[in-house]
Amino acid sequence: MFKTAKYPDLPGLIESLSTSDPLKLTDIDMQKIRFFVHSDGCTKVPNFRKDECYKHDFYYRTHVDFSGRVMRRRDADRLFRIGLQSKSWLGEFDPMSWWRWLGVRLFAAKAWYK
């Protein structure tokens, strides 16, 4: 499991989650994640599907997934889109998921490298 100097208790948080599947995290898991990375939700856009923004912030700040494996930025953005699509009756054709995915691909690179 990956551990960073910025988040020394990352393994503890990951072990406390009910699952490593981002599509099955509970409300309690989401609150833990939100407070762990001090997420403000959906930065500079309406707080639509905030839980997906919390997960995306977690990926960007820790650079790992919920099982502790190191991930790439494009995978974090892809999981963000998939999470948004999973909550829409339009599924993979949900236009908001594609717009938000495009937004993070175009404008969030600086946040990944912080």
Side-chain angles (χ1 to χ4, degrees):
M1 183 171 302
F2 189 71
K3 184 175 175 180
T4 68
K6 186 173 181 182
Y7 295 105
D9 196 31
L10 182 59
L13 171 75
I14 289 172
E15 288 174 16
S16 78
L17 299 175
S18 63
T19 180
S20 62
D21 183 342
L23 298 178
K24 295 180 181 178
L25 292 166
T26 67
D27 290 340
I28 292 170
D29 293 333
M30 295 312 308
Q31 290 307 312
K32 289 178 185 179
I33 291 164
R34 176 182 174 212
F35 290 115
F36 186 80
V37 295
H38 305 286
S39 176
D40 64 353
C42 305
T43 308
K44 299 183 182 180
V45 296
N47 276 325
F48 175 74
R49 308 248 192 261
K50 280 195 287 190
D51 286 356
E52 297 308 317
C53 296
Y54 298 150
K55 293 179 211 176
H56 193 248
D57 285 351
F58 175 86
Y59 300 144
Y60 264 56
R61 292 177 186 161
T62 65
H63 294 208
V64 299
D65 64 14
F66 294 111
S67 61
R69 289 182 299 234
V70 176
M71 66 188 322
R72 297 173 296 188
R73 179 175 169 246
R74 68 176 168 206
D75 295 326
D77 295 343
R78 180 181 54 79
L79 288 174
F80 178 56
R81 180 177 40 86
I82 289 169
L84 291 169
Q85 292 169 342
S86 74
K87 294 182 173 159
S88 171
W89 63 273
L90 294 171
E92 67 182 88
F93 301 106
D94 178 46
M96 183 61 69
S97 69
W98 288 100
W99 280 110
R100 288 208 166 177
W101 172 81
L102 183 61
V104 295
R105 291 307 299 156
L106 293 175
F107 303 112
K110 185 175 180 181
W112 180 262
Y113 297 107
K114 267 188 174 180

